[in-house]
């Protein structure tokens, strides 16, 4: 099992990867037809909000210990799933 610092660093790396994916979708949304642009921008806004929530949880994890750390860890794992689902939905909408 990873220690807390290794785990937090792996989460930060994962967040950087998601930042790149979201940035890529943002470029595609800006190139989309005008009529669909607002829908894409709305989805991107939700992705960014979810990303910020994860970032805040990671920051809290760095300062927590014991039970609080474990609870935050579970929350972050669930948040990744939500972010992934939202990303996949936005990406599929952009392909249309």
């Amino acid at each position: 099992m990873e220690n807390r610092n290794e785990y937090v660093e792996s989460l930060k790396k994962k967040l950087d990867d998601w930042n790149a994916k979201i940035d890529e979708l943002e470029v595609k949304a800006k190139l989309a037809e005008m009529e669909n642009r607002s829908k894409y921008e709305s989805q991107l806004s939700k992705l960014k909000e979810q990303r910020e929530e994860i970032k805040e949880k990671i920051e809290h994890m760095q300062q927590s210990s014991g039970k609080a750390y474990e609870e935050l860890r579970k929350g972050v794992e669930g948040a990744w799933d939500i972010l992934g689902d939202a990303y996949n939905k936005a990406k599929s909408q952009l392909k249309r």
Side-chain angles (χ1 to χ4, degrees), residues 67-78:
K67 189 174 181 178
Y69 169 78
E70 288 302 320
E71 290 297 319
L72 284 167
R73 184 176 177 153
K74 290 177 188 173
V76 167
E77 293 300 323

Side-chain angles (χ1 to χ4, degrees), residues 77-94:
E77 293 300 323
W80 286 128
D81 293 338
I82 293 168
L83 181 62
D85 291 344
Y87 171 81
N88 290 332
K89 181 179 179 184
K91 186 175 178 180
S92 70
Q93 294 271 331
L94 280 169

Side-chain angles (χ1 to χ4, degrees), residues 21-38:
K21 289 179 179 182
I22 292 170
D23 289 347
E24 181 181 326
L25 282 182
E26 189 169 23
V27 169
K28 289 181 181 180
K30 287 181 180 178
L31 296 174
E33 294 178 22
M34 198 61 146
E35 63 189 45
N36 293 321
R37 187 172 293 172
S38 64

Side-chain angles (χ1 to χ4, degrees), residues 39-92:
K39 178 174 65 173
Y40 300 141
E41 288 175 353
S42 173
Q43 289 176 336
L44 281 168
S45 177
K46 290 176 187 175
L47 280 172
K48 289 177 181 181
E49 287 174 20
Q50 291 168 336
R51 178 187 61 193
E52 287 303 310
E53 287 177 21
I54 291 172
K55 183 179 176 185
E56 289 174 15
K57 287 180 181 183
I58 292 170
E59 289 170 358
H60 286 22
M61 284 179 74
Q62 288 179 294
Q63 301 169 7
S64 66
S65 62
K67 189 174 181 178
Y69 169 78
E70 288 302 320
E71 290 297 319
L72 284 167
R73 184 176 177 153
K74 290 177 188 173
V76 167
E77 293 300 323
W80 286 128
D81 293 338
I82 293 168
L83 181 62
D85 291 344
Y87 171 81
N88 290 332
K89 181 179 179 184
K91 186 175 178 180
S92 70

